[in-house]
Every structure is written in structure tokens, then in C-alpha cells.
Amino acid sequence: MQKPIREAPRDLAAIEQLERSLIFPSFTADTAWTLGTQLRNRLHALSPSPAVINISLANSNQLLFHACSHPGTAPDNDIWVSRKRATVLRWAFSSWYMHNKFQGDEVKFAEKYALGARAGEYAIHGGGVPVRIREVEGIVAVIVVSGLKQDQDHMIIIEALEEYLGLIARNVSGS
């Protein structure tokens, strides 16, 4: 039996602290495959709703992992992936952080950054999370989930990162 997804924090400081604590020692295509497969398997077991999992490098848009949890996704899911990813890349925060910063008010968000007609290129809905590496400036990759409720899209990624990084820490410490 799968444990339910934790409730996502809404406090900006708590979201930022959590995200900044998830630092990788390295990030490769193998890392993306492991995380993507872990996310796909968890989503498949957790919900009958179809969701898309997408992991790509930040500097080149190189796709490292892309899968669906169940049949039934639509091209719209990939548009949401693109919009969430664009938000993470431009502001270096998760799309959930940006959602909470603006209390979900997309008009206020678009006005603040003078997005005009380009506002539709970004989404302040949870499910886009930056990947950071120790002692590397900026974001190296973006993980996006699209298909659940936005807070769940966000937290399923956070939980996968916590689990993965916890395994690495235990293996390094030898326990």
C-alpha cells in the first residue's frame, strides 16, 4: 500500500528551505532515469489519473526522462510541463513557490514581471522543481510532474528527491 503524498507547505520560507536542502552531489542521465522511474512507479500505484513525468537539463533543454503514469494523458499535459519548466528556469524557484508567492493570482504575477502577451508561457501551478548540485551555481535540471492536483504534483517530486538523496546519504555513511 502506497502512503499518501504529504501536504505541501504554503509558507514561502518553508518551501525555499525545503527545496534548498535537496542538493545533489552529481546529476547524470542515470540519476534522471532512477528518479523518473521512481516517480512513474509511485504515480502509477498512487492514482489512476494519468500524469506526465519530465526531467530535462536546464542549460540545453536536453530531455533525460519522459513518461506517463497511465494511459490517457493529452497534449495539454506537455504544454503544462513546458510552462512549469519555463517558470522554474526563469525564477530559479519551484512553480509551487511562485504559486504561493502570488497566492495563485496569475494576473498579479503577469503584471509584476511585465509578461504581457508572454504570460501564457509560464505557469504558477505546482509541479516544476529545480535540481541543484552542491557547489554549482544555478539550476542544472528541472523535474516536472503534470496530472495530479498542483500541490500533489509538487510534493510527489519533493518526496522522490528526499528518498533518493536519503539513499545516497545512507550509502555514503555505510549504514
Side-chain angles (χ1 to χ4, degrees), residues 65-123:
F65 185 92
H66 189 92
C68 301
S69 63
H70 287 285
T73 60
D76 193 50
N77 289 101
D78 286 323
I79 292 169
W80 277 99
V81 165
S82 177
R83 293 177 64 215
K84 291 176 183 185
R85 184 178 187 285
T87 299
V88 173
L89 289 173
R90 179 158 176 183
W91 286 279
F93 284 102
S94 71
S95 54
W96 179 246
Y97 177 94
M98 296 301 288
H99 171 82
N100 284 285
K101 181 175 181 175
F102 291 94
Q103 295 83 42
D105 187 335
E106 294 194 33
V107 172
K108 191 164 82 172
F109 164 74
E111 288 173 354
K112 165 77 175 168
Y113 297 108
L115 297 176
R118 298 189 67 200
E121 295 175 19
Y122 303 96

Side-chain angles (χ1 to χ4, degrees), residues 129-170:
V129 175
V131 173
R132 293 183 172 86
I133 297 178
R134 184 174 295 110
E135 297 184 23
V136 173
E137 184 76 26
I139 296 168
V140 298
V142 179
I143 302 173
V144 180
V145 169
S146 175
L148 302 178
K149 294 178 182 175
Q150 62 175 320
D151 58 320
Q152 294 175 329
D153 281 349
H154 176 76
M155 281 309 292
I156 201 158
I157 298 169
I158 296 299
E159 289 176 357
L161 296 178
E162 290 171 336
E163 182 179 334
Y164 181 86
L165 292 169
L167 288 172
I168 290 174
R170 284 191 293 281

